[in-house]
Amino acid sequence: MIMDTSLSAMAAVQATLLHDTSSSSNSQALLTIAIPTFQRPELLLKAIESVLQQNDLSQIELLIVDNDVEGDSAAIIERLRQPPALPARYVRNHVHVGMFGNWNRCIALCRTEWLTILNDDDLLLPDYLKEMRVARQRSHSVAYACRCLVQDDRPVQRRGNRRLNLINRLLALQSRTVEHRLDSIHYFLRNRHYGSLGLMFRRSVAEDMQGFDASYYPSADFLFFSSLATRGGVTLLQKPLAAYRISVNESLKVETINLWHDID
């Protein structure tokens, strides 16, 4: 039987609150950085560090949604207890809800006006929050995206690393153009950014869209982005503000690649 991973269904999923410092401070938080995670505690710690190393952590709440029903959370909780202090919630689902289901859990548990989803194998660069705040003051969109650097963490690296280095250099040059507005036509031509990484969007708009539709797997995120573009536009910042880490992730699994062939 296929699990219902719709936003409304994910809002009702039972979970355990493992850590919570959000209720006693920062009631004026405007942005939630949500990290959906599954069985990658070492990478999760690095993702958390990239959040804590932001140049400006004001009005921020951290939300971790763990999809590993029986995982060990001790190291994560210990890190969240250490400075710098940041309002944070760490939640463990009682059932495994899949990748897009867990992304919808992030939307359902978000309590702020803005939300960004940081996968546990990716990183935010130190200026991410500061630059996004400036962008929101300059324009009025329902979402803001950014360019990303590419970091290959595979044990056996491929020849394509030279291309990645070239891409990163070109992105640095491209950042001289501050930003431009994306509409649905841009997404029709190709995806304009590395998935959800660095994408900041209004929670209310995501709720109206009913979040991510897992029936469109593996393209549910692409559908979500293009739908945002039709509901108020997506502003793309040309400056790289996040790092996309190539490792063993959902998009590189053989099963996922085979699904692309089936769709074609």
PDB file of all heavy atoms in Angstrom, residues 3 13 15 19 22 35 40 47 55 58 67 69 73-74 76 78 83 92 102 121 150 165 188 195-196 214 221 229:
ATOM      1  N   MET A   3       1.993   4.908   0.793  1.00  0.00           N
ATOM      2  CA  MET A   3       1.717   5.847   1.877  1.00  0.00           C
ATOM      3  C   MET A   3       1.272   7.196   1.324  1.00  0.00           C
ATOM      4  O   MET A   3       1.791   7.677   0.315  1.00  0.00           O
ATOM      5  CB  MET A   3       2.977   6.034   2.731  1.00  0.00           C
ATOM      6  CG  MET A   3       2.838   7.095   3.805  1.00  0.00           C
ATOM      7  SD  MET A   3       4.347   7.336   4.768  1.00  0.00           S
ATOM      8  CE  MET A   3       4.296   5.858   5.786  1.00  0.00           C
ATOM      9  N   VAL A  13       1.445  13.060  11.225  1.00  0.00           N
ATOM     10  CA  VAL A  13       2.386  11.993  11.573  1.00  0.00           C
ATOM     11  C   VAL A  13       2.831  12.137  13.024  1.00  0.00           C
ATOM     12  O   VAL A  13       3.173  13.227  13.483  1.00  0.00           O
ATOM     13  CB  VAL A  13       3.615  12.032  10.633  1.00  0.00           C
ATOM     14  CG1 VAL A  13       4.735  11.131  11.156  1.00  0.00           C
ATOM     15  CG2 VAL A  13       3.220  11.611   9.228  1.00  0.00           C
ATOM     16  N   ALA A  15       5.313  11.845  16.158  1.00  0.00           N
ATOM     17  CA  ALA A  15       6.750  12.053  16.262  1.00  0.00           C
ATOM     18  C   ALA A  15       7.141  12.310  17.707  1.00  0.00           C
ATOM     19  O   ALA A  15       6.298  12.629  18.551  1.00  0.00           O
ATOM     20  CB  ALA A  15       7.184  13.221  15.378  1.00  0.00           C
ATOM     21  N   HIS A  19      14.523  17.493  21.183  1.00  0.00           N
ATOM     22  CA  HIS A  19      15.218  18.679  21.677  1.00  0.00           C
ATOM     23  C   HIS A  19      14.396  19.897  21.277  1.00  0.00           C
ATOM     24  O   HIS A  19      13.905  19.974  20.150  1.00  0.00           O
ATOM     25  CB  HIS A  19      16.624  18.759  21.051  1.00  0.00           C
ATOM     26  CG  HIS A  19      17.377  20.008  21.402  1.00  0.00           C
ATOM     27  ND1 HIS A  19      18.119  20.131  22.557  1.00  0.00           N
ATOM     28  CD2 HIS A  19      17.498  21.200  20.744  1.00  0.00           C
ATOM     29  CE1 HIS A  19      18.679  21.323  22.589  1.00  0.00           C
ATOM     30  NE2 HIS A  19      18.315  22.004  21.516  1.00  0.00           N
ATOM     31  N   SER A  22      13.154  26.324  21.244  1.00  0.00           N
ATOM     32  CA  SER A  22      12.514  27.350  20.419  1.00  0.00           C
ATOM     33  C   SER A  22      11.429  28.121  21.159  1.00  0.00           C
ATOM     34  O   SER A  22      11.163  29.279  20.837  1.00  0.00           O
ATOM     35  CB  SER A  22      11.901  26.717  19.172  1.00  0.00           C
ATOM     36  OG  SER A  22      10.860  25.820  19.532  1.00  0.00           O
ATOM     37  N   ILE A  35      16.129  20.950   8.272  1.00  0.00           N
ATOM     38  CA  ILE A  35      17.036  19.921   7.767  1.00  0.00           C
ATOM     39  C   ILE A  35      16.348  18.563   7.869  1.00  0.00           C
ATOM     40  O   ILE A  35      16.266  17.988   8.954  1.00  0.00           O
ATOM     41  CB  ILE A  35      18.362  19.891   8.543  1.00  0.00           C
ATOM     42  CG1 ILE A  35      18.998  21.281   8.608  1.00  0.00           C
ATOM     43  CG2 ILE A  35      19.325  18.891   7.904  1.00  0.00           C
ATOM     44  CD1 ILE A  35      20.308  21.327   9.370  1.00  0.00           C
ATOM     45  N   ARG A  40      22.356   9.770   8.343  1.00  0.00           N
ATOM     46  CA  ARG A  40      23.637  10.380   7.972  1.00  0.00           C
ATOM     47  C   ARG A  40      24.059  11.372   9.055  1.00  0.00           C
ATOM     48  O   ARG A  40      24.176  12.569   8.803  1.00  0.00           O
ATOM     49  CB  ARG A  40      23.540  11.061   6.606  1.00  0.00           C
ATOM     50  CG  ARG A  40      23.308  10.081   5.479  1.00  0.00           C
ATOM     51  CD  ARG A  40      23.525  10.684   4.118  1.00  0.00           C
ATOM     52  NE  ARG A  40      22.458  11.574   3.714  1.00  0.00           N
ATOM     53  CZ  ARG A  40      22.219  11.903   2.443  1.00  0.00           C
ATOM     54  NH1 ARG A  40      22.981  11.424   1.481  1.00  0.00           N
ATOM     55  NH2 ARG A  40      21.238  12.730   2.142  1.00  0.00           N
ATOM     56  N   ALA A  47      26.116  19.909   8.248  1.00  0.00           N
ATOM     57  CA  ALA A  47      25.062  20.821   7.797  1.00  0.00           C
ATOM     58  C   ALA A  47      24.673  21.779   8.915  1.00  0.00           C
ATOM     59  O   ALA A  47      24.473  22.979   8.678  1.00  0.00           O
ATOM     60  CB  ALA A  47      23.845  20.017   7.326  1.00  0.00           C
ATOM     61  N   ASN A  55      26.783  34.481   9.261  1.00  0.00           N
ATOM     62  CA  ASN A  55      27.224  35.784   9.764  1.00  0.00           C
ATOM     63  C   ASN A  55      26.151  36.504  10.577  1.00  0.00           C
ATOM     64  O   ASN A  55      26.467  37.401  11.361  1.00  0.00           O
ATOM     65  CB  ASN A  55      27.673  36.669   8.603  1.00  0.00           C
ATOM     66  CG  ASN A  55      28.961  36.153   7.978  1.00  0.00           C
ATOM     67  OD1 ASN A  55      29.817  35.617   8.667  1.00  0.00           O
ATOM     68  ND2 ASN A  55      29.100  36.299   6.674  1.00  0.00           N
ATOM     69  N   SER A  58      20.103  36.196  13.559  1.00  0.00           N
ATOM     70  CA  SER A  58      18.927  36.794  14.183  1.00  0.00           C
ATOM     71  C   SER A  58      17.655  36.354  13.464  1.00  0.00           C
ATOM     72  O   SER A  58      17.638  36.166  12.253  1.00  0.00           O
ATOM     73  CB  SER A  58      19.037  38.317  14.150  1.00  0.00           C
ATOM     74  OG  SER A  58      19.119  38.793  12.813  1.00  0.00           O
ATOM     75  N   ASN A  67      14.094  11.135   9.812  1.00  0.00           N
ATOM     76  CA  ASN A  67      13.268  10.083   9.229  1.00  0.00           C
ATOM     77  C   ASN A  67      13.741   8.691   9.618  1.00  0.00           C
ATOM     78  O   ASN A  67      13.212   7.696   9.133  1.00  0.00           O
ATOM     79  CB  ASN A  67      13.286  10.223   7.695  1.00  0.00           C
ATOM     80  CG  ASN A  67      11.929   9.946   7.072  1.00  0.00           C
ATOM     81  OD1 ASN A  67      10.932   9.727   7.764  1.00  0.00           O
ATOM     82  ND2 ASN A  67      11.884   9.935   5.759  1.00  0.00           N
ATOM     83  N   VAL A  69      13.722   6.049  12.240  1.00  0.00           N
ATOM     84  CA  VAL A  69      12.874   5.745  13.402  1.00  0.00           C
ATOM     85  C   VAL A  69      13.698   5.329  14.620  1.00  0.00           C
ATOM     86  O   VAL A  69      13.343   5.651  15.758  1.00  0.00           O
ATOM     87  CB  VAL A  69      11.862   4.634  13.039  1.00  0.00           C
ATOM     88  CG1 VAL A  69      11.006   4.264  14.247  1.00  0.00           C
ATOM     89  CG2 VAL A  69      10.979   5.088  11.878  1.00  0.00           C
ATOM     90  N   SER A  73      20.605   9.755  18.364  1.00  0.00           N
ATOM     91  CA  SER A  73      20.527  11.216  18.289  1.00  0.00           C
ATOM     92  C   SER A  73      21.434  11.914  19.299  1.00  0.00           C
ATOM     93  O   SER A  73      21.452  13.142  19.369  1.00  0.00           O
ATOM     94  CB  SER A  73      19.080  11.665  18.522  1.00  0.00           C
ATOM     95  OG  SER A  73      18.610  11.187  19.778  1.00  0.00           O
ATOM     96  N   ALA A  74      22.213  11.166  20.064  1.00  0.00           N
ATOM     97  CA  ALA A  74      22.978  11.746  21.177  1.00  0.00           C
ATOM     98  C   ALA A  74      23.939  12.832  20.706  1.00  0.00           C
ATOM     99  O   ALA A  74      24.008  13.917  21.308  1.00  0.00           O
ATOM    100  CB  ALA A  74      23.737  10.640  21.912  1.00  0.00           C
ATOM    101  N   ILE A  76      23.891  14.659  18.010  1.00  0.00           N
ATOM    102  CA  ILE A  76      23.177  15.819  17.463  1.00  0.00           C
ATOM    103  C   ILE A  76      22.652  16.698  18.597  1.00  0.00           C
ATOM    104  O   ILE A  76      22.814  17.924  18.584  1.00  0.00           O
ATOM    105  CB  ILE A  76      22.013  15.366  16.559  1.00  0.00           C
ATOM    106  CG1 ILE A  76      22.503  14.376  15.494  1.00  0.00           C
ATOM    107  CG2 ILE A  76      21.341  16.571  15.926  1.00  0.00           C
ATOM    108  CD1 ILE A  76      23.597  14.912  14.617  1.00  0.00           C
ATOM    109  N   GLU A  78      23.743  16.847  21.654  1.00  0.00           N
ATOM    110  CA  GLU A  78      24.877  17.451  22.349  1.00  0.00           C
ATOM    111  C   GLU A  78      25.376  18.689  21.612  1.00  0.00           C
ATOM    112  O   GLU A  78      25.695  19.708  22.232  1.00  0.00           O
ATOM    113  CB  GLU A  78      26.014  16.432  22.484  1.00  0.00           C
ATOM    114  CG  GLU A  78      27.273  16.968  23.157  1.00  0.00           C
ATOM    115  CD  GLU A  78      27.025  17.448  24.575  1.00  0.00           C
ATOM    116  OE1 GLU A  78      26.075  16.951  25.231  1.00  0.00           O
ATOM    117  OE2 GLU A  78      27.781  18.337  25.029  1.00  0.00           O
ATOM    118  N   PRO A  83      27.147  26.347  22.428  1.00  0.00           N
ATOM    119  CA  PRO A  83      27.053  27.638  21.745  1.00  0.00           C
ATOM    120  C   PRO A  83      27.555  27.522  20.306  1.00  0.00           C
ATOM    121  O   PRO A  83      28.323  26.600  19.994  1.00  0.00           O
ATOM    122  CB  PRO A  83      27.961  28.539  22.587  1.00  0.00           C
ATOM    123  CG  PRO A  83      28.882  27.613  23.298  1.00  0.00           C
ATOM    124  CD  PRO A  83      28.125  26.338  23.517  1.00  0.00           C
ATOM    125  N   ARG A  92      11.813  13.430  15.724  1.00  0.00           N
ATOM    126  CA  ARG A  92      11.994  12.122  15.080  1.00  0.00           C
ATOM    127  C   ARG A  92      10.629  11.538  14.731  1.00  0.00           C
ATOM    128  O   ARG A  92       9.759  11.361  15.597  1.00  0.00           O
ATOM    129  CB  ARG A  92      12.754  11.160  15.987  1.00  0.00           C
ATOM    130  CG  ARG A  92      12.678   9.703  15.512  1.00  0.00           C
ATOM    131  CD  ARG A  92      13.717   8.822  16.165  1.00  0.00           C
ATOM    132  NE  ARG A  92      15.041   9.131  15.655  1.00  0.00           N
ATOM    133  CZ  ARG A  92      16.137   9.196  16.410  1.00  0.00           C
ATOM    134  NH1 ARG A  92      16.063   8.982  17.707  1.00  0.00           N
ATOM    135  NH2 ARG A  92      17.305   9.473  15.866  1.00  0.00           N
ATOM    136  N   ASN A 102       9.084  13.669   3.988  1.00  0.00           N
ATOM    137  CA  ASN A 102       9.795  14.372   5.060  1.00  0.00           C
ATOM    138  C   ASN A 102       9.947  15.856   4.737  1.00  0.00           C
ATOM    139  O   ASN A 102       9.951  16.700   5.643  1.00  0.00           O
ATOM    140  CB  ASN A 102      11.162  13.729   5.292  1.00  0.00           C
ATOM    141  CG  ASN A 102      11.604  13.843   6.740  1.00  0.00           C
ATOM    142  OD1 ASN A 102      10.770  13.939   7.639  1.00  0.00           O
ATOM    143  ND2 ASN A 102      12.903  13.841   6.969  1.00  0.00           N
ATOM    144  N   ASP A 121      23.098  16.529   3.508  1.00  0.00           N
ATOM    145  CA  ASP A 121      24.402  16.380   2.875  1.00  0.00           C
ATOM    146  C   ASP A 121      24.869  17.662   2.178  1.00  0.00           C
ATOM    147  O   ASP A 121      25.864  17.647   1.438  1.00  0.00           O
ATOM    148  CB  ASP A 121      24.400  15.217   1.876  1.00  0.00           C
ATOM    149  CG  ASP A 121      23.347  15.376   0.788  1.00  0.00           C
ATOM    150  OD1 ASP A 121      22.397  16.155   0.984  1.00  0.00           O
ATOM    151  OD2 ASP A 121      23.473  14.710  -0.262  1.00  0.00           O
ATOM    152  N   VAL A 150      29.747  23.465  -6.197  1.00  0.00           N
ATOM    153  CA  VAL A 150      29.624  22.010  -6.264  1.00  0.00           C
ATOM    154  C   VAL A 150      30.849  21.377  -5.625  1.00  0.00           C
ATOM    155  O   VAL A 150      31.982  21.689  -5.986  1.00  0.00           O
ATOM    156  CB  VAL A 150      29.471  21.532  -7.718  1.00  0.00           C
ATOM    157  CG1 VAL A 150      29.280  20.018  -7.758  1.00  0.00           C
ATOM    158  CG2 VAL A 150      28.300  22.227  -8.396  1.00  0.00           C
ATOM    159  N   ASN A 165      35.268  22.318 -11.184  1.00  0.00           N
ATOM    160  CA  ASN A 165      36.092  23.474 -10.855  1.00  0.00           C
ATOM    161  C   ASN A 165      35.823  24.625 -11.820  1.00  0.00           C
ATOM    162  O   ASN A 165      35.768  25.788 -11.417  1.00  0.00           O
ATOM    163  CB  ASN A 165      37.575  23.099 -10.899  1.00  0.00           C
ATOM    164  CG  ASN A 165      37.957  22.139  -9.783  1.00  0.00           C
ATOM    165  OD1 ASN A 165      37.319  22.127  -8.736  1.00  0.00           O
ATOM    166  ND2 ASN A 165      38.982  21.337 -10.009  1.00  0.00           N
ATOM    167  N   PHE A 188      10.560  25.740 -17.462  1.00  0.00           N
ATOM    168  CA  PHE A 188      10.199  24.865 -18.579  1.00  0.00           C
ATOM    169  C   PHE A 188      11.442  24.489 -19.379  1.00  0.00           C
ATOM    170  O   PHE A 188      11.581  23.358 -19.845  1.00  0.00           O
ATOM    171  CB  PHE A 188       9.182  25.561 -19.485  1.00  0.00           C
ATOM    172  CG  PHE A 188       8.806  24.758 -20.704  1.00  0.00           C
ATOM    173  CD1 PHE A 188       7.942  23.691 -20.608  1.00  0.00           C
ATOM    174  CD2 PHE A 188       9.351  25.067 -21.941  1.00  0.00           C
ATOM    175  CE1 PHE A 188       7.602  22.948 -21.724  1.00  0.00           C
ATOM    176  CE2 PHE A 188       9.025  24.334 -23.065  1.00  0.00           C
ATOM    177  CZ  PHE A 188       8.145  23.265 -22.954  1.00  0.00           C
ATOM    178  N   GLY A 195      18.105  21.895  -6.956  1.00  0.00           N
ATOM    179  CA  GLY A 195      17.007  21.402  -6.141  1.00  0.00           C
ATOM    180  C   GLY A 195      16.551  22.427  -5.123  1.00  0.00           C
ATOM    181  O   GLY A 195      16.476  23.618  -5.405  1.00  0.00           O
ATOM    182  N   SER A 196      16.276  21.950  -3.916  1.00  0.00           N
ATOM    183  CA  SER A 196      15.777  22.841  -2.867  1.00  0.00           C
ATOM    184  C   SER A 196      16.891  23.622  -2.192  1.00  0.00           C
ATOM    185  O   SER A 196      16.620  24.534  -1.412  1.00  0.00           O
ATOM    186  CB  SER A 196      15.030  22.020  -1.808  1.00  0.00           C
ATOM    187  OG  SER A 196      15.937  21.149  -1.137  1.00  0.00           O
ATOM    188  N   ALA A 214       4.492  13.788  -4.058  1.00  0.00           N
ATOM    189  CA  ALA A 214       5.402  12.664  -4.256  1.00  0.00           C
ATOM    190  C   ALA A 214       5.003  11.765  -5.419  1.00  0.00           C
ATOM    191  O   ALA A 214       5.827  10.975  -5.888  1.00  0.00           O
ATOM    192  CB  ALA A 214       5.490  11.841  -2.971  1.00  0.00           C
ATOM    193  N   ASP A 221      10.114  17.963  -6.810  1.00  0.00           N
ATOM    194  CA  ASP A 221      10.712  19.254  -6.438  1.00  0.00           C
ATOM    195  C   ASP A 221      10.680  20.227  -7.609  1.00  0.00           C
ATOM    196  O   ASP A 221      10.391  21.413  -7.441  1.00  0.00           O
ATOM    197  CB  ASP A 221      12.139  19.063  -5.924  1.00  0.00           C
ATOM    198  CG  ASP A 221      13.029  18.277  -6.866  1.00  0.00           C
ATOM    199  OD1 ASP A 221      12.514  17.675  -7.830  1.00  0.00           O
ATOM    200  OD2 ASP A 221      14.259  18.248  -6.638  1.00  0.00           O
ATOM    201  N   ALA A 229       6.932  29.721  -9.191  1.00  0.00           N
ATOM    202  CA  ALA A 229       7.170  30.780 -10.180  1.00  0.00           C
ATOM    203  C   ALA A 229       5.871  31.351 -10.718  1.00  0.00           C
ATOM    204  O   ALA A 229       5.817  32.528 -11.090  1.00  0.00           O
ATOM    205  CB  ALA A 229       8.025  30.238 -11.322  1.00  0.00           C
TER     206      ALA A 229
END
